[in-house]
Amino acid sequence: MKNLKQQDPKIYEIIKREEKRQKEGLELIASENYVTPAVLEAMGSILTNKYSEGYPGKRYYGGNEVIDQAENLAIDRAKKLFGAEHVNVQPLSGSPANLAVYMALLKPGDKVLGFSLDQGGHLSHGHPLNFSGLLYTIIPYFVDKKTEEIDMDEVERIALKEKPKMILAGFSAYSRSMDWKRFKQIADKIGAFTFADIAHIAGLIAGGQIDSPVPYFDVVSTTTHKTLRGPRGAMIMSKAQFAQAINRAVFPGVQGGPHDHINAAKAVAFGEALKPSFKTYTAQIIKNAKSLSDALQKRGYRIVSGGTDNHLMLVDVFGSKGVTGKEAEHALEIAQISINKNMIPFDPRKPMDPSGIRVGTPALTTRGMKEKHMETVAEFIDRGIKNKDSETELKNLRKDVKDFAIKFPVPGIK
Ligand code: DSN
């Protein structure tokens, strides 16, 4: 970064400080990860200089013969990775991707059945201040109070009663497997479209660790930067019959020019995910999550639904220790452990200071951590929460966190 250092020392210093934070801290935010140097290089390439509105072979600007090859490679690799009939790699991020799916399949006002945000859904699945809640009629479904898992009989009951035009299955804070087949069977009973948002678990699906909705669902969206470990962005997969509607909704419906440098980086990440080593990586993410969940339970923390089948878990810190999610997030931040406060199902508290925290293992697994290291991570989390009111203890913890973390290199950071 010698040019940046010379020309803009302020931004250079900020990047250096963030490198230090990423290296010395423990990243447990379930939606984050570290990309490889190859992905970083593609993102930082001169492909950013080009305008390419349209699709390969049908652009609104000249000079796209090279860009077309990059976008086609990303599409071909994504199709192979997920077995998808059609792929659009242009969505800039998860919410615009989801907006394009709604636009492709629905008219404003149409009914959508979506997983309630305060139980694990996502803003774009129907929050009243999000486009989804503003433009469409959202009917929520919930988890069962006792098992804290999605109650498919209840989903069916609501679907038959409400007859939504689309059923949306997906989440940002749910640790259990999704019954994709059952969602599809329910949708077929009422002639509804099926839309899966696999942003959190795309990498686990690509790595063959958990079931995929792609064979069953009409449309599947995902971000590319979470467990899939690619650049910040998204893509939409669909059955061939929805290809034209999806492409039109992405461009010109929602977006203008695609980010060609990011699309090239998506191709690089998909290429990495096609390698056998990605299977090993994604299997380890789940092993680490189970191990962390066990280690936290051993220390008296209640894990929502009793455990995890994927890369994340919700920890009921208020119910277990009388510490709120906000207090836990703040204390752990001082110790350089990043997690986020999170509502738990049927949370008696409010979103800005809920009962839970959300914890995930994709980033630590990329750094090479294994099950035994999760014991140490759980110990650090417990220490941080127990000592939430002691600045001195949290600073001591920060030192121990750093000594531990720097043993595990972050890809792309020296
Ligand atoms: N912000 C993402 C997450 O953390 O789950 C979802 O968009």
Side-chain angles (χ1 to χ4, degrees):
M1 293 197 295
K2 60 181 189 309
N3 294 297
L4 185 61
K5 185 176 182 182
Q6 203 177 14
Q7 186 188 317
D8 197 332
K10 279 192 181 155
I11 282 292
Y12 175 82
E13 282 309 322
I14 286 170
I15 294 174
K16 284 290 164 198
R17 286 213 313 275
E18 175 61 11
E19 278 187 358
K20 185 170 149 58
R21 190 195 70 82
Q22 290 191 12
K23 204 164 62 180
E24 295 180 359
L26 291 177
E27 186 52 72
L28 283 145
I29 294 196
S31 48
E32 294 188 16
N33 213 330
Y34 306 107
V35 296
T36 62
V39 169
L40 267 183
E41 281 173 16
M43 288 166 80
S45 72
I46 49 78
L47 298 188
T48 192
N49 295 340
K50 192 70 195 105
Y51 251 124
S52 323
E53 269 108 326
Y55 290 101
K58 282 172 272 168
R59 305 283 190 182
Y60 288 81
Y61 289 80
N64 272 303
E65 63 276 12
V66 182
I67 294 298
D68 279 2
Q69 290 172 26
E71 188 166 331
N72 278 329
L73 209 48
I75 292 169
D76 291 345
R77 288 179 183 171
K79 280 185 176 168
K80 194 163 167 203
L81 196 53
F82 290 95
E85 290 177 14
H86 171 72
V87 174
N88 184 314
V89 295
Q90 293 193 5
L92 304 178
S93 211
S95 286
N98 289 352
L99 172 57
V101 176
Y102 282 82
M103 278 183 66
L105 302 180
L106 307 174
K107 295 204 170 45
D110 278 350
K111 268 190 196 173
V112 176
L113 194 65
F115 189 22
S116 175
L117 174 67
D118 59 5
Q119 299 210 339
H122 184 252
L123 284 175
S124 63
H125 301 179
H127 187 279
L129 296 178
N130 181 266
F131 76 84
S132 50
L134 290 167
L135 296 178
Y136 302 92
T137 309
I138 305 292
I139 315 290
Y141 57 89
F142 304 92
V143 296
D144 174 75
K145 215 163 186 170
K146 208 156 145 233
T147 62
E148 294 173 305
E149 298 192 26
I150 294 173
D151 179 347
M152 292 307 294
D153 292 335
E154 185 63 3
V155 172
E156 176 158 354
R157 192 191 62 73
I158 304 173
L160 296 181
K161 177 168 166 252
E162 298 285 349
K163 301 205 171 30
K165 187 102 183 272
M166 180 170 89
I167 297 186
L168 204 176
F171 57 82
S172 64
Y174 183 66
S175 64
R176 293 307 187 178
S177 316
M178 301 292 275
D179 191 347
W180 307 116
K181 260 193 207 163
R182 180 86 192 272
F183 273 111
K184 172 68 177 151
Q185 284 162 0
I186 296 170
D188 283 347
K189 286 190 179 172
I190 51 168
F193 293 120
T194 43
F195 169 27
D197 177 347
I198 58 167
H200 264 264
I201 48 174
L204 306 180
I205 291 171
Q209 305 303 323
I210 59 175
D211 286 345
S212 170
V214 174
Y216 315 109
F217 273 49
D218 297 323
V219 182
V220 177
S221 73
T222 182
T223 50
T224 45
H225 49 271
K226 298 185 175 98
T227 48
L228 199 47
R229 212 165 60 180
R232 196 156 287 276
M235 70 169 159
I236 302 172
M237 298 172 267
S238 75
K239 298 286 182 222
Q241 73 192 93
F242 301 102
Q244 198 184 31
I246 292 291
N247 282 358
R248 273 194 193 144
V250 172
F251 170 82
V254 174
Q255 297 180 181
H259 292 181
D260 296 317
H261 55 310
I262 299 297
N263 292 346
K266 287 175 190 169
V268 177
F270 301 156
E272 291 173 356
L274 282 163
K275 292 193 181 139
S277 56
F278 198 74
K279 272 198 191 327
T280 320
Y281 164 60
T282 48
Q284 191 64 49
I285 292 177
I286 298 177
K287 283 187 215 161
N288 284 352
K290 287 187 190 299
S291 197
L292 184 57
S293 162
D294 290 347
L296 286 168
Q297 290 186 83
K298 236 171 40 197
R299 288 166 177 79
Y301 290 88
R302 189 182 81 81
I303 305 294
V304 168
S305 83
T308 179
D309 299 324
N310 56 30
H311 62 299
L312 68 80
M313 69 214 71
L314 287 175
V315 189
D316 178 6
V317 284
F318 189 70
S320 312
K321 306 281 172 178
V323 174
T324 72
K326 184 177 166 186
E327 289 171 334
E329 181 185 293
H330 180 67
L332 294 174
E333 188 160 35
I334 296 173
Q336 288 222 143
I337 300 170
S338 300
I339 53 93
N340 63 277
K341 58 181 172 292
N342 216 100
M343 297 284 274
I344 60 169
F346 310 102
D347 202 325
R349 303 185 59 82
K350 296 272 174 293
M352 287 314 286
D353 194 7
S355 298
I357 58 174
R358 187 187 65 164
V359 177
T361 54
L364 295 189
T365 308
T366 293
R367 291 180 82 163
M369 290 187 200
K370 301 273 189 319
E371 292 96 311
K372 62 177 187 233
H373 304 118
M374 296 302 114
E375 271 291 327
T376 311
V377 172
E379 187 58 44
F380 286 154
I381 292 174
D382 187 36
R383 249 173 85 186
I385 289 175
K386 275 187 184 144
N387 292 295
K388 72 173 175 57
D389 296 321
S390 166
E391 193 86 4
T392 316
E393 281 308 316
L394 291 175
K395 288 207 169 128
N396 289 338
L397 174 59
R398 185 184 176 107
K399 261 197 242 124
D400 293 345
V401 165
K402 176 182 166 186
D403 290 345
F404 174 73
I406 55 175
K407 292 188 197 135
F408 300 89
V410 175
I413 302 180
K414 288 216 179 64

